[in-house]
Amino acid sequence: MEGYQSFQQLVDHEVSGRDFGIEWRVGRSGLAVMALHGGGIEPGTSEVAREVSKDAHTFYHFDGLKRKNNASLHITSTRFDEPVAQSLAAQSHKVVTVHGCIDGSIDVYLGGLDFSLRADCAKELRNAGFSVGDHPTFQGMQKDNVCNRGQAGMGLQLELSSELRRRLFVSLDRQGRRYPTPLFHALAKALRRVLAQQALRLHGGTPSEYQALRVLTK
């Protein structure tokens, strides 16, 4: 899917607060969880990113607000140059991006240049009952992909299949996404465990605030 080529091109044609919105907060873990194509663009990704980040990790989402044709707001991950997103990624040690794809044969496709994090995530998701694989197209291997723009130069890209996203909520429209299913919480819990382990490794696992982080992200 390809919409605008840059954020400047998007704002030349769309109205902030009517067609799109941006929301973020900074966490203390050194990790960022971002939904670049949230809201109506790739429905369900904003909700997952918000729940996974909780109060521990930096959260960002670009919210497609149009009544229809939110796909036109899509800026591909290698060209995504919205200033807040760029700044948050640069301030973070590692970035996890949450996307949606139309494939339905596997629940979660893993990408990004951090192969160790991918392996940890695959193990945790499989243990939680989710199927995991590599997407044939969306692999997040480019250095300029947002998931790899953190200080470590490598991160994690999650592509949630349309079939999985439908099962995470009562429905995928904006109203239905207010009501997550137990599967949504199982997915978020598994991903929080992975990121808690990452944060504890990053900070040595000794300060009391990061021991508290382990509890927070269970």
Side-chain angles (χ1 to χ4, degrees), residues 92-111:
S92 301
H93 179 65
K94 289 184 182 179
V95 177
V96 177
T97 56
V98 183
H99 299 270
C101 61
I102 61 172
D103 305 73
S105 57
I106 289 177
D107 293 327
V108 183
Y109 297 90
L110 301 178

Side-chain angles (χ1 to χ4, degrees), residues 170-190:
V170 169
S171 68
L172 268 184
D173 60 25
R174 190 170 288 270
Q175 178 67 21
R177 297 198 306 272
R178 296 180 180 179
Y179 304 99
T181 67
L183 191 66
F184 172 89
H185 295 293
L187 175 66
K189 185 176 181 179

Side-chain angles (χ1 to χ4, degrees), residues 25-38:
R25 54 177 163 69
V26 177
R28 66 182 187 271
S29 71
L31 308 175
V33 185
M34 309 176 76
L36 309 180
H37 309 133

Side-chain angles (χ1 to χ4, degrees), residues 137-150:
T137 304
F138 307 124
Q139 299 180 357
M141 300 296 287
Q142 307 94 331
K143 292 293 290 185
D144 55 355
N145 187 303
V146 174
C147 73
N148 299 317
R149 292 191 209 165

Side-chain angles (χ1 to χ4, degrees), residues 12 22 61 87 101 108 119 183 192 196 214:
D12 286 344
I22 298 167
H61 84 128
S87 176
C101 61
V108 183
L183 191 66
R192 285 201 300 271
R214 182 190 293 276

Side-chain angles (χ1 to χ4, degrees), residues 32-190:
V33 185
M34 309 176 76
L36 309 180
H37 309 133
I41 306 171
E42 293 170 359
T45 58
S46 289
E47 290 79 5
V48 170
R50 188 193 306 277
E51 183 68 14
V52 171
S53 64
K54 284 274 190 177
D55 296 321
H57 313 299
T58 291
F59 166 73
Y60 170 95
H61 84 128
F62 184 93
D63 191 358
L65 298 174
K66 288 172 169 279
R67 291 181 179 271
K68 59 182 180 179
N69 196 29
N70 278 281
S72 66
L73 299 170
H74 187 276
I75 304 171
T76 193
S77 295
T78 54
R79 294 196 185 102
F80 199 90
D81 59 350
E82 191 282 312
V84 174
Q86 291 191 111
S87 176
L88 292 175
Q91 293 171 29
S92 301
H93 179 65
K94 289 184 182 179
V95 177
V96 177
T97 56
V98 183
H99 299 270
C101 61
I102 61 172
D103 305 73
S105 57
I106 289 177
D107 293 327
V108 183
Y109 297 90
L110 301 178
L113 289 174
D114 192 333
F115 290 97
S116 176
L117 180 54
R118 285 168 63 168
D120 290 345
C121 189
K123 180 180 179 180
E124 199 68 57
L125 288 173
R126 288 187 179 116
N127 287 343
F130 296 94
S131 59
V132 178
D134 299 327
H135 198 280
T137 304
F138 307 124
Q139 299 180 357
M141 300 296 287
Q142 307 94 331
K143 292 293 290 185
D144 55 355
N145 187 303
V146 174
C147 73
N148 299 317
R149 292 191 209 165
Q151 294 166 3
M154 57 183 180
L156 175 66
Q157 177 174 284
L158 304 172
E159 292 278 354
L160 310 182
S161 72
S162 54
E163 177 58 31
L164 173 63
R165 286 181 286 129
R166 279 193 289 269
R167 291 186 286 133
L168 297 180
F169 306 94
V170 169
S171 68
L172 268 184
D173 60 25
R174 190 170 288 270
Q175 178 67 21
R177 297 198 306 272
R178 296 180 180 179
Y179 304 99
T181 67
L183 191 66
F184 172 89
H185 295 293
L187 175 66
K189 185 176 181 179

